[in-house]
Amino acid sequence: MQISQKQKDQQREQVQQWFRKLRDRLCRSFEDIEQSLQSSKIAAYNADEPPGCFQRKLWQREDDSSEKGAGGGGEISLMRGRVFEKIGVNISTVHGAFVPELQSEVKGAAKDGRFWASGISLVAHPRSPLVPAAHFNTRYIESEYAWFGGGGDITPTATDEEASKIFHKAFQSVCDKYEPQRYRKYAKACDDYFYIRHRKRPRGAGGIFFDYLNDDWQRDFQFTREVGEAFLRVFPRIVRERCYQEWSEEQRQQQLRVRGYYTEFNLLYDRGTRFGLLTGGNNDAVLMSLPPLAAW
Amino acid sequence: MQISQKQKDQQREQVQQWFRKLRDRLCRSFEDIEQSLQSSKIAAYNADEPPGCFQRKLWQREDDSSEKGAGGGGEISLMRGRVFEKIGVNISTVHGAFVPELQSEVKGAAKDGRFWASGISLVAHPRSPLVPAAHFNTRYIESEYAWFGGGGDITPTATDEEASKIFHKAFQSVCDKYEPQRYRKYAKACDDYFYIRHRKRPRGAGGIFFDYLNDDWQRDFQFTREVGEAFLRVFPRIVRERCYQEWSEEQRQQQLRVRGYYTEFNLLYDRGTRFGLLTGGNNDAVLMSLPPLAAW
């Protein structure tokens, strides 16, 4: 269905506003946890360390003369704190042309390769090995085709069935409102994608992952918003419930090794990371996902 | 020039023996440093920690039914100690067929793709940020073509002109005996290869890198041996000269960040690492190169 340029502009404006507002709410929620921590209650935190707060940094997409009309940029919010050893939330809106190698891979990009994309992405690396790491992102991309994509997944250090159950359930309750098989489909896509092939192990405990969603714009946008709301509801809850549990040095060492696997996945397999780095994306934004400390 | 199968077998035997003997000498040299450290002389070491020693682990190349006649294996020597936070020396001899994607990339592999390869590789991550990390490897590969390759390079945390000069000089004095332009050519190849594109910075202070060396078998083998001898002479010397210098926490943090860049290079760009992991090589052998601890 053809829509007018004016409608298109309104849609673009709406998604951008949503991603920005969600970013603000996520950051506030994590800063609340960070600031309200009573670190003296638990020996594993350094009681002298002050709470962290998000630092913001704007970036502009570098003008590449080989790419007509490329531009845009984003804003990174990064906090290095007590509960959150490192947490980054990035929003960005960029436009340009897909590099030739990618044109054949991306739906709707074959003809002239131009695209417009806006999104939010978040990676949390909590200090405690008993609090799972988390990843969340949603995006809207327009080429000759227009679609929503994204998802969320968690990476506990050791199996944490309760956290995994709560996390999956939050997304399932959203998916179930839209389609009976949606949760199953998206959870499987998540498992398939976040798999560390050379280690023959999943990156974490999964979640959901969706892409090329374009059934009905309003409905797809609403679904995307609800996925964001679900993450905002469930992940801070998981953090609050686990951040006062004492952990051992052995658990910490295990966490650093799991973060090593996480790094391997992101640099070897993750499309966004490799694509971003190899095509001159913003290093700080792309590498926000890497852990504060990892061991091999 | 055609040579007989018997000659070929003798050559293979010679290079394997050399790599094994060099491995033994390298390990002994690093264990000597590790054991003779008087850790109480310098506050930055943990005086309670015992000296490390190399642990050996054999591995067999997994039988992949899609690959006729694949086999072989190797031996990893890994030490986690005081001077050497992590150091690995791997020797391996493998044979099989190049995967189709690689056949067009590798010289002499186009016709039937079969290869035989033997080599040694070493990566040292010293604890002190004032001791450069080091990488060294030499290998002999036979397909329809047969050649030697390898090199060595160091990665200091901060610029260390003296260490770089000594290191380069050791290799230059070998190269100069063979060809007037050899050092220049191989040093440039090293700089070109160990470049972290997305960060627009070199991985370290360089060294030499050579590949497809097949001028004269005896002479090439001798050059390869002399490159090994040069590394054995120069790197332990650099370590001994620097391991009693006190370092600051700030220098340590900087080292962990430089190790982060090192990890990015190895997982994003290094041919050996990517090839090894993506084609089912031995994870432990391939990932031996990753630092014991890295920060982002």
Side-chain angles (χ1 to χ4, degrees), chain B residues 4-74:
Chain B
S4 69
Q5 188 57 47
K6 196 183 158 197
Q7 274 178 300
K8 245 187 193 174
D9 288 344
Q10 280 173 347
Q11 289 178 347
R12 289 179 176 187
E13 191 53 37
Q14 277 182 68
V15 296
Q16 283 189 81
Q17 272 184 22
W18 162 255
F19 291 139
R20 180 172 296 274
K21 238 171 73 182
L22 179 60
R23 188 272 313 268
D24 292 341
R25 291 166 66 201
L26 285 162
C27 288
R28 201 175 322 120
S29 170
F30 295 123
E31 277 189 344
D32 278 354
I33 296 177
E34 181 67 24
Q35 264 147 30
S36 65
L37 178 81
Q38 297 181 275
S39 61
S40 57
K41 276 197 177 173
I42 150 167
Y45 290 108
N46 176 359
D48 297 332
E49 214 171 315
C53 60
F54 278 101
Q55 305 288 324
R56 290 204 178 156
K57 200 174 156 188
L58 286 165
W59 57 270
Q60 292 288 316
R61 190 143 184 264
E62 267 174 55
D63 202 354
D64 180 343
S65 55
S66 69
E67 200 186 329
K68 280 164 288 175

Side-chain angles (χ1 to χ4, degrees), chain B residues 69-108:
Chain B
E75 191 167 16
I76 301 167
S77 302
L78 188 73
M79 173 162 74
R80 293 182 188 265
R82 306 180 298 181
V83 176
F84 298 99
E85 195 174 339
K86 183 180 174 190
I87 181 170
V89 190
N90 189 29
I91 53 170
S92 66
T93 300
V94 297
H95 55 270
F98 286 118
V99 290
E101 302 89 282
L102 232 80
Q103 257 182 265
S104 57
E105 279 179 44
V106 179
K107 265 194 191 173

